[in-house]
Amino acid sequence: MLLLLFLLFLLLFLLLLLLPPLAVLQQQRSQVPRLSWLAALQHRVAWGLLCWAAAWQQWRLEQRTLHVGQSQQQALRWCLKRAQGPRCPLRGSTDMSAFRNHLPLTKASQAQKEESEGQLSTSNQPHGEASVQATLLGLAALNKAYPEVQALGGKACVTPTSPWPHRLPWPWHALGQVSSPGSKDPDALLLGALTSPGLRALEAGTAVELLDVFSGLEAHGEELAEAIAAGNPGAPLPRRAAELREALEQGPRGLALRLWPKLQVVVTLDAGGQAEAVAALGALWCQGLDFFSPAYAASGGAMGLNLWPEQPRGLYVLPPGAPLIELLPIKEGPQEEAATTILLAEAQKGKEYELVLTDHTSLTRCCLGDVVRVVGAYNQCPVVRFVGRLGQTLSVRGEDIGEDMFSEALGRAVRQWPGAKLLDHGCVESSILDSSGGSAPHYEVFVALRGLRNLSEEHRDKLDHCLQEISPCYKSLRFRGSVGPARVHLVGQGAFRALREALAACASSPFPPEMPRVLRHRNLAQLLQRRVVS
């Protein structure tokens, strides 16, 4: 507590000392080519404080991961102490067995239903302490791997949402940014990045949002070039406008490095449904660049921490603090008896588990649907890779085609379409659109592609063949005629951007950061259906 009070006092002192001259500096920034020594001092002091705070969080993480059982007991006490509502008889007990016996597991779908009826309150927003920890440790890891990124003017965020789970207070929130953090104007954010050729890091809320940014850049490149040449906003930059036009003329592959030759890393927040966009960005616009995510944003506000930016993307530590995380083993085939959850220290390498989250707002043990595979350990905590979401399963006859299985089949099929690159996809069970027309139920699949303008019947058949190769159950149902062939549709440019806008406007939608790949609502499916071009 004393340390926190000291830190607060120091921040207030810096605010009083530096804010007035920096306000004047910000007004003159577009006219002064070299930032003043005062801005450099603010940057240095702010980074010193951030490194201190990150070191403190790293120490806490080490202590918690070395004593996982004790940390999870503390997390349980935290949930019970702050719980509100009729489930509070457990407030006086912190026994894990009693906790499990009194609170049965609840499926995410049931939790959402109860939430809509006002019986409980859930949130997809990450828990405050976990999000702060993910942000501080992520910034420190990024600074260690790419020291030049954190220099003044070294990075820009091109989306209204941020890849960092928690917005830091002044003076940290503006570190290295070329535009004002928190800006909600996508065009202004993109123009700010385009007028800064020395960027070292490009930030976006999620990979699918960055995909939309690059697609929009290609579609409206001339308008953006004219705005830059005219000095809207800022000073006229005709030379930079010419560089933008020249870079766009050479096509999408490697565009980011042509626009920003010093660019080193792309920072986005990882979540469900983002892997496809990361692959597309890495193969086209962001070719040759590293990708980094400070955390994995799972359902219900759970988070996995990324401590290794130099390692292959997708490895996360499940932290043992609040909210309480349990693991439910995934068992193949019919289950004779209900599975029992385990704690983090009991996870076994190579096994797959569904995340179970308990937060104080509802005190409900909610099965999130996020499935992880344990690939290692960090002290006593599991290091995991997120492999899919149970809520994104396709099933018209009980075949249960999981998200990871369908993505693998679709990827195989697209690789057999000469010149095609998959950008986005969405699936709908035929009953949602009433598209069976008396025929067998089937999947309606909508895809966005680069390099292929029309889909032939041969192209469409490839997906159904790949699904049969991957799933014996699906193959058997297809052979008997119980399931019809998957129908593949090519949608026009901007279709999935419109879908994401519709999702973002829905209060109950997990996007951002999660991107649903199986659509359960007819209006969303029809939105894509209206944009089919082949």
Side-chain angles (χ1 to χ4, degrees):
M1 182 61 70
L2 291 176
L3 288 174
L4 290 176
L5 291 174
F6 173 75
L7 181 59
L8 179 62
F9 171 80
L10 188 57
L11 285 174
L12 290 173
F13 175 77
L14 287 171
L15 178 64
L16 293 173
L17 177 66
L18 300 179
L19 187 57
L22 284 176
V24 176
L25 176 66
Q26 186 67 28
Q27 296 174 356
Q28 300 174 345
R29 199 168 183 173
S30 61
Q31 302 175 358
V32 180
R34 182 175 298 176
L35 296 176
S36 72
W37 64 270
L38 191 55
L41 175 62
Q42 180 218 15
H43 187 269
R44 183 180 295 272
V45 171
W47 257 111
L49 290 172
L50 187 143
C51 291
W52 179 88
W56 167 249
Q57 287 290 349
Q58 182 67 47
W59 180 83
R60 294 188 69 189
L61 180 65
E62 288 292 326
Q63 296 304 307
R64 288 177 173 178
T65 55
L66 284 170
H67 308 92
V68 175
Q70 179 181 347
S71 299
Q72 292 211 276
Q73 283 288 346
Q74 291 174 350
L76 176 59
R77 283 197 294 270
W78 180 89
C79 291
L80 296 175
K81 183 178 180 180
R82 290 165 174 78
Q84 300 176 359
R87 298 179 185 263
C88 289
L90 278 174
R91 188 185 295 247
S93 170
T94 58
D95 180 69
M96 193 66 69
S97 298
F99 168 71
R100 287 169 171 161
N101 291 333
H102 281 80
L103 296 178
L105 295 176
T106 302
K107 292 293 184 182
S109 56
Q110 179 63 26
Q112 292 170 357
K113 180 180 178 181
E114 293 181 12
E115 180 184 8
S116 64
E117 295 173 353
Q119 298 178 25
L120 61 84
S121 174
T122 61
S123 173
N124 279 324
Q125 296 301 315
H127 179 259
E129 183 180 3
S131 62
V132 170
Q133 184 179 60
T135 299
L136 289 172
L137 294 180
L139 284 168
L142 186 67
N143 183 52
K144 182 178 180 180
Y146 309 96
E148 296 176 330
V149 162
Q150 306 298 353
L152 279 168
K155 59 183 179 180
C157 187
V158 293
T159 59
T161 58
S162 170
W164 303 103
H166 193 281
R167 180 175 175 175
L168 296 175
W170 187 94
W172 289 334
H173 70 276
L175 283 177
Q177 293 283 1
V178 300
S179 56
S180 300
S183 174
K184 298 300 180 182
D185 185 353
D187 292 336
L189 291 170
L190 181 55
L191 281 170
L194 290 173
T195 55
S196 305
L199 290 182
R200 307 278 184 170
L202 193 66
E203 295 183 355
T206 59
V208 294
E209 292 173 275
L210 185 58
L211 195 67
D212 292 336
V213 169
F214 277 109
S215 297
L217 174 58
E218 289 185 302
H220 306 289
E222 182 56 35
E223 299 173 21
L224 292 166
E226 290 175 358
I228 292 172
N232 183 22
L237 299 171
R239 183 175 177 180
R240 183 58 179 164
E243 292 173 352
L244 172 59
R245 292 188 178 100
E246 182 181 355
L248 290 170
E249 287 174 358
Q250 298 177 45
R253 200 175 300 274
L255 176 61
L257 276 176
R258 291 197 299 274
L259 291 173
W260 302 287
K262 297 181 180 180
L263 202 61
Q264 295 177 288
V265 62
V266 176
V267 183
T268 60
L269 181 62
D270 204 0
Q274 299 291 336
E276 201 168 83
V278 172
L281 289 165
L284 294 173
W285 299 277
C286 300
Q287 189 180 63
L289 294 171
D290 295 334
F291 283 78
F292 173 71
S293 171
Y296 187 100
S299 304
M303 304 206 76
L305 305 179
N306 184 0
L307 305 179
W308 312 280
E310 69 283 356
Q311 295 294 325
R313 183 182 176 93
L315 300 181
Y316 300 96
V317 175
L318 293 179
L324 177 65
I325 295 177
E326 299 173 81
L327 302 175
L328 182 65
I330 299 292
K331 296 183 178 180
E332 297 182 359
Q335 300 184 22
E336 297 181 357
E337 57 183 26
T340 303
T341 59
I342 64 173
L343 296 178
L344 296 181
E346 302 171 272
Q348 298 180 34
K349 186 176 180 180
K351 300 291 186 180
E352 291 188 356
Y353 303 91
E354 180 183 1
L355 296 187
V356 178
L357 184 76
T358 303
D359 199 0
H360 72 283
T361 55
S362 61
L363 203 59
T364 300
R365 296 173 67 216
C366 183
C367 300
L368 301 179
D370 294 84
V371 178
V372 299
R373 181 181 297 118
V374 179
V375 297
Y378 180 81
N379 293 331
Q380 295 180 0
C381 268
V383 176
V384 302
R385 189 183 300 275
F386 285 78
V387 297
R389 297 167 289 174
L390 297 180
Q392 297 293 293
T393 298
L394 288 164
S395 181
V396 294
R397 291 289 191 194
E399 67 278 13
D400 289 340
I401 302 294
E403 180 180 19
D404 54 338
M405 186 182 295
F406 185 87
S407 295
E408 183 181 349
L410 182 59
R412 285 188 190 182
V414 173
R415 285 193 291 272
Q416 298 177 54
W417 301 347
K421 180 61 188 176
L422 181 64
L423 304 183
D424 252 318
H425 87 270
C427 304
V428 185
E429 295 170 0
S430 57
S431 59
I432 302 292
L433 289 171
D434 293 330
S435 58
S436 293
S439 61
H442 56 272
Y443 309 149
E444 300 281 352
V445 183
F446 302 91
V447 296
L449 303 171
R450 290 298 292 259
L452 192 63
R453 295 185 177 182
N454 293 290
L455 290 177
S456 66
E457 288 306 312
E458 183 181 0
H459 289 139
R460 301 177 203 273
D461 291 341
K462 294 291 187 184
L463 174 59
D464 196 70
H465 293 158
C466 291
L467 283 170
Q468 293 184 48
E469 292 174 357
I470 286 178
S471 172
C473 181
Y474 180 83
K475 182 177 182 179
S476 175
L477 291 168
R478 286 284 294 115
F479 179 77
R480 298 201 305 263
S482 301
V483 173
R487 300 179 184 179
V488 186
H489 311 279
L490 178 64
V491 298
Q493 185 176 3
F496 280 92
R497 181 170 188 167
L499 173 63
R500 283 187 271 276
E501 290 174 352
L503 288 168
C506 180
S508 61
S509 170
F511 178 81
E514 288 188 59
M515 180 62 198
R517 294 300 176 185
V518 177
L519 304 178
R520 308 293 185 188
H521 300 284
R522 180 175 298 183
N523 64 314
L524 296 177
Q526 290 175 335
L527 187 151
L528 292 180
Q529 192 177 44
R530 289 193 297 268
R531 289 166 171 78
V532 170
V533 296
S534 173

